Amino acid sequence: MNAIGVAAVAESYQTFNPRAYLQNNYMPPRANFTSEEYAVPWKLRRLADAFATGKIHGKTLIDIGSGPTIYQLLSACDFFEEIVATDYLEVNRGEIHSWVHGDDPGAFDWSPYIQHVCKIEGKGEPWKEKEQKLKKKLKKILPIDVHQPNPLGFVLSQPADALISTFCIEAVSPDRPSFDRALQNVTTLLKPGGHFLMIGGLEESFYLAGEAKLSVVPMKEEDIKESFIKAGYRIHDFHSYSMPPSLKIGVDDVQGIFFINGQKSA
Ligand SMILES: Nc1ncnc2c1ncn2[C@@H]1O[C@@H](CSCCNC[C@@H]2Cc3ccc([N+](=O)[O-])cc3CN2)[C@@H](O)[C@H]1O
């Protein structure tokens, strides 16, 4: 492991500002729900379609590097008994805790996301029901370090039935070998035969979150596929999205977004 690079990443995250990060990526123009040509509806569609197959379900889903967001869990919540959110930073775990417990008037408003997901899932589910369902299932919000062979420490009782992760591993890995090692580390948390849904940035080298400027290891489509195969996954589905110029707003240099559905070999 590139210990110096990983330490530098950890240092850079000390000034990560969750509110600035949410503003940059989860408010307009990126949070434009009018068409799936925009990034957020594209991501929500990928996740809704993956869970709609009914093939990804079980007792526990772990979200790797949740950040301060919960949108990535909205379509999953019908298919798991419990959902575990994780992040390296207490400030991000605190943002999720505030949303779950509704005890902070300044907490981020995810209702447009919940309404959009209910609409595209087409089950006629009232959005407040989905909101309550997710809050009830989000039972644990744990510290994680994907660079540790045992990313959750020894907290986990048994392997998860599925993993999900959005924009995390490429944004915390100084180089490709570190990315591959981190993917292998988190794969130990998943049962054989379990699915891992990952969304992330393509060809991204940096992003901003308030004072913090974070480095990202630029990954191409083929790099992601190769890393998943090396980590022992069968690739069930892969989609990529190209960032329109209107969404290149200076908060990062991301060129596109990938979605991958991998199944851990039994
Ligand atoms: N060692 C570690 N282990 C686990 N998690 C760790 C570790 N270190 C930091 N973390 C944790 O991982 C981080 C996850 S947020 C990473 C952001 N990724 C880049 C950003 C995301 C984004 C979002 C949306 C759109 N879009 O167009 O819609 C584009 C883009 C592209 N830019 C952060 O929560 C940190 O706290």
Side-chain angles (χ1 to χ4, degrees):
M1 175 180 78
N2 171 359
I4 294 175
V6 161
V9 166
E11 179 60 27
S12 70
Y13 271 97
Q14 296 315 304
T15 56
F16 179 96
N17 176 335
R19 294 290 162 97
Y21 175 71
L22 288 164
Q23 173 78 37
N24 293 347
N25 293 295
Y26 295 101
M27 300 284 284
R30 286 185 169 182
N32 178 329
F33 293 92
T34 59
S35 149
E36 293 189 6
E37 73 186 47
Y38 292 106
V40 165
W42 184 87
K43 296 191 284 184
L44 296 174
R45 166 65 65 190
R46 294 287 77 76
L47 294 169
D49 286 358
F51 287 109
T53 64
K55 292 185 182 143
I56 305 173
H57 56 85
K59 179 174 175 297
T60 307
L61 169 74
I62 302 178
D63 181 14
I64 306 294
S66 307
T69 67
I70 57 90
Y71 73 92
Q72 64 272 23
L73 305 173
L74 290 167
S75 287
C77 67
D78 279 340
F79 298 92
F80 295 89
E81 291 169 33
E82 70 163 5
I83 293 176
V84 178
T86 69
D87 200 78
Y88 183 73
L89 295 177
E90 200 292 322
V91 285
N92 284 332
R93 298 194 300 270
E95 286 288 337
I96 295 177
H97 186 276
S98 295
W99 178 78
V100 168
H101 298 282
D103 51 8
D104 171 1
F108 192 79
D109 175 16
W110 291 107
S111 59
Y113 290 75
I114 307 169
Q115 290 156 12
H116 183 80
V117 171
C118 287
K119 189 176 88 180
I120 64 173
E121 287 182 347
K123 300 177 199 166
E125 181 179 23
W127 72 271
K128 278 218 166 276
E129 268 181 37
K130 184 182 273 293
E131 180 180 57
Q132 288 314 311
K133 193 187 302 176
L134 178 54
K135 290 187 175 186
K136 211 162 84 222
K137 292 195 174 182
L138 241 177
K139 293 201 170 74
K140 296 186 188 114
I141 307 170
L142 304 177
I144 191 169
D145 182 351
V146 298
H147 298 304
Q148 300 306 317
N150 204 324
L152 290 176
F154 293 91
V155 167
L156 203 73
S157 53
Q158 61 194 43
D161 296 288
L163 300 181
I164 190 166
S165 185
T166 52
F167 296 105
C168 177
I169 300 182
E170 74 278 8
V172 306
S173 300
D175 52 34
R176 180 75 189 282
S178 300
F179 179 98
D180 288 350
R181 169 68 59 204
L183 179 59
Q184 286 160 13
N185 291 342
V186 300
T187 298
T188 65
L189 303 174
L190 178 61
K191 75 175 185 185
H195 285 257
F196 189 169
L197 303 183
M198 188 186 288
I199 285 178
L202 289 171
E203 307 275 7
E204 180 176 24
S205 72
F206 82 92
Y207 76 99
L208 305 176
E211 295 302 302
K213 179 175 182 183
L214 297 311
S215 295
V216 183
V217 57
M219 298 289 279
K220 292 185 175 67
E221 287 191 22
E222 55 273 21
D223 298 329
I224 298 295
K225 291 175 184 172
E226 190 181 322
S227 294
F228 264 72
I229 290 165
K230 267 168 67 177
Y233 289 89
R234 189 159 72 85
I235 299 173
H236 275 268
D237 201 8
F238 186 94
H239 295 271
S240 64
Y241 165 88
S242 182
M243 289 297 277
S246 63
L247 295 189
K248 292 185 176 179
I249 54 179
V251 299
D252 52 45
D253 62 348
V254 71
Q255 297 306 305
I257 301 175
F258 68 84
F259 166 86
I260 188 166
N261 171 359
Q263 185 172 24
K264 180 176 177 178
S265 308

Coordinates of all heavy atoms in Angstrom, one line a residue, residues 6 9-10 13 16 21 25-26 30 39-40 43 64-68 71 86-89 92 144-147 166-172 200-201 204 206-208 216 241 243 247 251-252 254 256-257, ligand 1:
V6 N -1.6 7.5 1.0 CA -2.8 7.3 1.7 C -2.9 8.3 2.9 O -3.9 8.9 3.2 CB -3.0 5.9 2.2 CG1 -3.9 5.7 3.3 CG2 -3.3 5.0 1.0
V9 N -3.8 11.7 1.6 CA -5.3 11.8 1.3 C -6.0 12.0 2.6 O -6.9 12.9 2.7 CB -5.8 10.5 0.7 CG1 -7.3 10.4 0.7 CG2 -5.3 10.3 -0.7
A10 N -5.7 11.3 3.7 CA -6.4 11.5 5.0 C -6.2 12.9 5.5 O -7.2 13.5 5.9 CB -5.8 10.5 6.0
Y13 N -8.5 15.4 3.7 CA -9.9 15.3 4.1 C -10.2 16.0 5.4 O -11.4 16.2 5.7 CB -10.4 13.9 4.1 CG -10.9 13.4 2.7 CD1 -10.1 12.7 1.9 CD2 -12.2 13.7 2.3 CE1 -10.5 12.3 0.6 CE2 -12.6 13.4 1.1 CZ -11.8 12.7 0.2 OH -12.2 12.3 -1.0
F16 N -12.4 18.9 4.6 CA -13.6 18.6 3.8 C -14.9 19.2 4.4 O -15.1 19.0 5.6 CB -13.8 17.1 3.7 CG -15.0 16.6 2.9 CD1 -14.8 16.2 1.5 CD2 -16.3 16.5 3.4 CE1 -15.9 15.8 0.8 CE2 -17.3 16.0 2.7 CZ -17.2 15.7 1.4
Y21 N -19.8 20.6 -0.2 CA -19.9 19.4 -1.1 C -21.3 19.2 -1.6 O -21.6 18.9 -2.8 CB -19.3 18.2 -0.4 CG -19.4 16.9 -1.1 CD1 -18.6 16.7 -2.2 CD2 -20.4 15.9 -0.8 CE1 -18.7 15.5 -3.0 CE2 -20.5 14.8 -1.5 CZ -19.7 14.5 -2.6 OH -19.8 13.4 -3.3
N25 N -22.7 19.5 -5.6 CA -23.1 18.3 -6.4 C -24.6 17.9 -6.3 O -25.0 17.2 -7.1 CB -22.3 17.1 -5.9 CG -20.8 17.3 -6.2 OD1 -20.4 17.3 -7.4 ND2 -20.0 17.4 -5.2
Y26 N -25.3 18.4 -5.2 CA -26.6 17.9 -5.0 C -27.7 19.0 -5.0 O -28.8 18.8 -4.5 CB -26.6 17.1 -3.7 CG -25.8 15.8 -4.0 CD1 -24.5 15.8 -3.5 CD2 -26.2 14.8 -4.8 CE1 -23.7 14.7 -3.8 CE2 -25.4 13.7 -5.1 CZ -24.1 13.7 -4.6 OH -23.3 12.6 -4.9
R30 N -26.6 20.7 -11.0 CA -26.4 19.2 -11.1 C -27.7 18.5 -10.6 O -28.0 17.4 -11.1 CB -25.2 18.7 -10.4 CG -23.9 19.1 -11.1 CD -22.6 18.6 -10.5 NE -21.5 18.8 -11.5 CZ -20.3 18.4 -11.3 NH1 -20.0 17.8 -10.1 NH2 -19.3 18.6 -12.2
A39 N -27.1 14.6 -14.5 CA -26.4 13.6 -13.7 C -27.2 12.9 -12.7 O -27.2 11.7 -12.5 CB -25.1 14.2 -13.1
V40 N -27.9 13.7 -11.9 CA -28.6 13.1 -10.7 C -29.7 12.1 -11.1 O -29.7 11.0 -10.7 CB -29.1 14.2 -9.7 CG1 -30.1 13.6 -8.8 CG2 -27.9 14.8 -9.0
K43 N -28.2 8.9 -12.3 CA -27.7 8.0 -11.2 C -28.9 7.3 -10.5 O -28.9 6.1 -10.3 CB -27.0 8.9 -10.2 CG -25.7 9.5 -10.7 CD -24.9 10.0 -9.5 CE -25.5 11.3 -9.0 NZ -24.6 12.0 -8.0
I64 N -20.5 2.0 1.3 CA -19.1 2.3 1.5 C -18.8 3.8 1.2 O -18.9 4.2 0.1 CB -18.2 1.4 0.6 CG1 -18.6 -0.1 0.7 CG2 -16.7 1.7 0.9 CD1 -18.3 -0.7 2.1
G65 N -18.4 4.5 2.2 CA -18.0 5.9 2.0 C -19.3 6.8 1.6 O -19.3 7.4 0.6
S66 N -20.3 6.7 2.5 CA -21.6 7.4 2.2 C -21.4 8.9 2.0 O -22.2 9.5 1.3 CB -22.6 7.2 3.3 OG -22.7 5.8 3.6
G67 N -20.4 9.5 2.6 CA -20.3 10.9 2.5 C -21.5 11.5 3.3 O -22.0 10.8 4.2
P68 N -21.9 12.7 3.0 CA -23.1 13.2 3.7 C -24.4 13.0 3.0 O -25.4 13.7 3.2 CB -22.8 14.8 3.6 CG -22.0 14.9 2.3 CD -21.3 13.7 2.1
Y71 N -29.2 9.7 -0.9 CA -29.9 9.4 -2.2 C -29.6 8.1 -2.7 O -30.5 7.4 -3.3 CB -29.6 10.5 -3.2 CG -28.3 10.4 -3.9 CD1 -28.1 9.6 -5.0 CD2 -27.1 10.9 -3.2 CE1 -26.8 9.5 -5.6 CE2 -25.9 10.8 -3.8 CZ -25.7 10.1 -4.9 OH -24.4 9.9 -5.5
T86 N -21.6 4.3 6.1 CA -20.3 4.4 6.6 C -19.6 5.6 6.1 O -19.8 6.0 4.9 CB -19.4 3.2 6.2 OG1 -19.1 3.2 4.8 CG2 -20.1 1.9 6.6
D87 N -18.7 6.2 6.9 CA -17.8 7.3 6.3 C -16.6 7.4 7.2 O -16.7 7.1 8.4 CB -18.5 8.6 6.0 CG -17.8 9.4 5.0 OD1 -17.8 9.1 3.8 OD2 -17.0 10.4 5.5
Y88 N -15.6 8.0 6.6 CA -14.3 8.2 7.3 C -14.4 9.4 8.2 O -13.7 9.4 9.3 CB -13.2 8.5 6.2 CG -11.8 8.6 6.7 CD1 -11.1 7.6 7.2 CD2 -11.2 9.9 6.7 CE1 -9.8 7.7 7.6 CE2 -9.9 10.1 7.1 CZ -9.2 9.0 7.6 OH -7.9 9.1 8.0
L89 N -15.2 10.4 7.9 CA -15.3 11.6 8.6 C -16.5 11.7 9.5 O -17.6 11.5 9.1 CB -15.3 12.8 7.7 CG -14.0 13.1 6.8 CD1 -14.3 14.2 5.8 CD2 -12.8 13.3 7.6
N92 N -19.3 13.9 8.2 CA -20.3 13.3 7.3 C -21.2 12.3 8.0 O -22.4 12.3 7.6 CB -19.5 12.6 6.2 CG -18.9 13.5 5.2 OD1 -19.4 14.6 5.0 ND2 -17.8 13.1 4.6
I144 N -15.3 4.2 8.7 CA -14.7 3.2 7.8 C -13.4 3.8 7.3 O -13.3 5.0 7.2 CB -15.7 2.9 6.6 CG1 -15.2 1.7 5.8 CG2 -15.9 4.1 5.8 CD1 -16.2 1.1 4.8
D145 N -12.5 2.9 7.0 CA -11.3 3.3 6.2 C -11.0 2.2 5.2 O -10.6 1.1 5.6 CB -10.1 3.4 7.2 CG -8.8 3.9 6.4 OD1 -8.8 3.9 5.2 OD2 -7.8 4.2 7.1
V146 N -11.3 2.5 3.9 CA -11.1 1.4 2.9 C -9.7 1.0 2.7 O -9.5 0.0 2.0 CB -11.8 1.9 1.5 CG1 -13.2 2.2 1.7 CG2 -11.0 3.1 1.0
H147 N -8.7 1.8 3.2 CA -7.3 1.4 3.1 C -6.9 0.3 4.1 O -5.7 -0.1 4.1 CB -6.4 2.6 3.1 CG -6.8 3.5 1.9 ND1 -6.8 3.2 0.6 CD2 -7.1 4.8 1.9 CE1 -7.1 4.2 -0.2 NE2 -7.4 5.2 0.6
T166 N -20.8 5.2 -3.7 CA -20.9 6.2 -4.8 C -19.8 7.2 -4.6 O -19.7 7.9 -3.6 CB -22.3 6.9 -4.7 OG1 -22.5 7.4 -3.4 CG2 -23.4 6.0 -5.1
F167 N -19.0 7.3 -5.6 CA -17.9 8.4 -5.7 C -16.9 8.3 -4.5 O -16.4 9.3 -4.1 CB -18.5 9.8 -5.7 CG -19.4 10.0 -7.0 CD1 -20.8 10.0 -6.8 CD2 -18.8 10.3 -8.2 CE1 -21.6 10.2 -8.0 CE2 -19.6 10.5 -9.3 CZ -21.0 10.5 -9.2
C168 N -16.6 7.1 -4.1 CA -15.7 7.1 -2.9 C -14.3 6.6 -3.2 O -13.4 7.4 -3.1 CB -16.3 6.2 -1.8 SG -15.2 6.0 -0.4
I169 N -14.2 5.3 -3.7 CA -12.9 4.7 -3.7 C -11.9 5.5 -4.6 O -10.7 5.7 -4.3 CB -12.9 3.2 -4.0 CG1 -13.8 2.5 -3.0 CG2 -11.5 2.6 -4.1 CD1 -13.9 1.0 -3.1
E170 N -12.4 5.9 -5.8 CA -11.5 6.7 -6.7 C -11.1 8.0 -6.1 O -10.0 8.6 -6.4 CB -12.1 6.9 -8.1 CG -13.2 7.9 -8.2 CD -14.6 7.3 -7.8 OE1 -14.6 6.2 -7.3 OE2 -15.6 8.1 -8.0
A171 N -11.9 8.5 -5.1 CA -11.7 9.9 -4.6 C -10.8 9.8 -3.3 O -10.5 10.8 -2.7 CB -13.0 10.5 -4.3
V172 N -10.5 8.6 -2.9 CA -9.6 8.5 -1.7 C -8.4 7.6 -1.9 O -7.7 7.3 -1.0 CB -10.5 7.8 -0.5 CG1 -11.8 8.6 -0.3 CG2 -10.8 6.4 -0.8
G200 N -19.3 6.1 -9.8 CA -18.1 6.9 -9.6 C -17.8 7.8 -10.7 O -18.4 7.8 -11.8
G201 N -16.7 8.6 -10.5 CA -16.3 9.6 -11.5 C -15.4 8.9 -12.5 O -14.5 8.1 -12.2
E204 N -11.6 11.8 -13.6 CA -11.6 12.9 -12.6 C -10.2 13.0 -11.9 O -9.7 11.9 -11.5 CB -12.7 12.7 -11.6 CG -12.9 13.8 -10.6 CD -14.0 13.6 -9.7 OE1 -14.5 12.5 -9.5 OE2 -14.5 14.6 -9.1
F206 N -9.5 15.9 -9.6 CA -9.7 16.6 -8.4 C -11.2 17.0 -8.2 O -12.0 17.0 -9.1 CB -8.9 17.9 -8.4 CG -9.5 19.1 -9.1 CD1 -10.3 20.0 -8.5 CD2 -9.4 19.2 -10.5 CE1 -11.0 21.0 -9.2 CE2 -10.0 20.2 -11.2 CZ -10.8 21.1 -10.6
Y207 N -11.5 17.4 -7.0 CA -12.8 18.0 -6.7 C -12.7 18.9 -5.5 O -11.8 18.7 -4.7 CB -13.9 17.0 -6.5 CG -14.0 16.2 -5.2 CD1 -14.8 16.6 -4.2 CD2 -13.1 15.2 -5.0 CE1 -14.9 16.0 -3.0 CE2 -13.2 14.5 -3.8 CZ -14.0 14.9 -2.8 OH -14.1 14.2 -1.6
L208 N -13.6 19.8 -5.4 CA -13.6 20.8 -4.3 C -14.7 20.5 -3.3 O -15.8 20.1 -3.7 CB -13.8 22.2 -4.9 CG -12.8 22.7 -6.0 CD1 -13.2 24.0 -6.5 CD2 -11.4 22.6 -5.4
V216 N -8.2 12.9 -7.0 CA -8.9 11.7 -7.4 C -8.0 11.0 -8.4 O -7.4 11.6 -9.2 CB -10.3 12.1 -8.1 CG1 -11.1 10.9 -8.5 CG2 -11.1 13.0 -7.2
Y241 N -21.9 7.7 -18.4 CA -22.6 8.9 -18.6 C -21.6 10.0 -18.9 O -20.5 10.0 -18.2 CB -23.4 9.3 -17.4 CG -24.0 10.7 -17.3 CD1 -25.2 11.0 -17.9 CD2 -23.3 11.7 -16.7 CE1 -25.7 12.3 -17.8 CE2 -23.8 13.0 -16.6 CZ -25.0 13.3 -17.2 OH -25.5 14.6 -17.1
M243 N -20.5 13.8 -18.9 CA -20.9 15.1 -18.3 C -21.2 16.1 -19.4 O -20.2 16.5 -20.2 CB -19.8 15.6 -17.4 CG -19.6 14.8 -16.1 SD -21.1 14.9 -15.1 CE -20.8 16.4 -14.3
L247 N -22.9 21.0 -17.0 CA -22.7 20.5 -15.6 C -21.2 20.6 -15.3 O -20.8 20.1 -14.2 CB -23.2 19.1 -15.5 CG -24.8 19.0 -15.6 CD1 -25.2 17.6 -15.2 CD2 -25.5 20.1 -14.8
V251 N -16.4 22.7 -10.0 CA -16.2 22.0 -8.7 C -15.4 20.8 -8.7 O -15.1 20.2 -7.7 CB -17.6 21.8 -8.0 CG1 -18.4 23.1 -7.8 CG2 -18.4 20.8 -8.9
D252 N -15.1 20.3 -10.0 CA -14.3 19.2 -10.2 C -13.9 19.1 -11.7 O -14.4 20.0 -12.4 CB -15.0 17.9 -9.8 CG -16.3 17.7 -10.5 OD1 -16.4 18.0 -11.7 OD2 -17.3 17.4 -9.8
V254 N -14.5 16.2 -13.4 CA -15.0 14.9 -13.8 C -15.5 15.0 -15.2 O -16.2 16.0 -15.6 CB -16.1 14.5 -12.8 CG1 -17.4 15.3 -13.0 CG2 -16.4 13.0 -13.0
G256 N -17.1 12.2 -16.7 CA -18.2 11.3 -16.9 C -18.5 10.5 -15.6 O -17.8 10.7 -14.6
I257 N -19.5 9.7 -15.6 CA -19.9 8.9 -14.4 C -20.1 7.5 -14.9 O -20.6 7.2 -16.0 CB -21.2 9.4 -13.8 CG1 -21.1 10.9 -13.4 CG2 -21.6 8.6 -12.6 CD1 -22.3 11.5 -12.9
Ligands
LIG1 N1 -9.9 6.2 3.8 C1 -11.3 6.4 3.5 N2 -12.1 5.3 3.6 C2 -13.4 5.5 3.3 N3 -14.0 6.7 3.0 C3 -13.1 7.8 3.0 C4 -11.8 7.7 3.2 N4 -11.2 8.9 3.1 C5 -12.2 9.7 2.8 N5 -13.4 9.1 2.7 C6 -14.7 9.6 2.4 O1 -15.0 9.4 1.0 C7 -15.5 10.7 0.5 C8 -16.7 10.3 -0.4 S1 -17.2 11.8 -1.3 C9 -16.1 11.7 -2.6 C10 -16.5 12.7 -3.7 N6 -16.1 12.2 -5.1 C11 -15.9 13.2 -6.1 C12 -17.1 14.1 -6.4 C13 -18.4 13.4 -6.3 C14 -19.4 13.7 -7.4 C15 -20.8 13.7 -7.1 C16 -21.8 14.0 -8.1 C17 -21.3 14.3 -9.4 N7 -22.3 14.6 -10.4 O2 -21.9 15.0 -11.5 O3 -23.5 14.4 -10.1 C18 -20.0 14.4 -9.7 C19 -19.0 14.1 -8.7 C20 -17.6 14.1 -8.9 N8 -16.9 14.7 -7.7 C21 -15.9 11.5 1.7 O4 -17.2 11.2 2.2 C22 -14.8 11.1 2.7 O5 -15.1 11.4 4.0

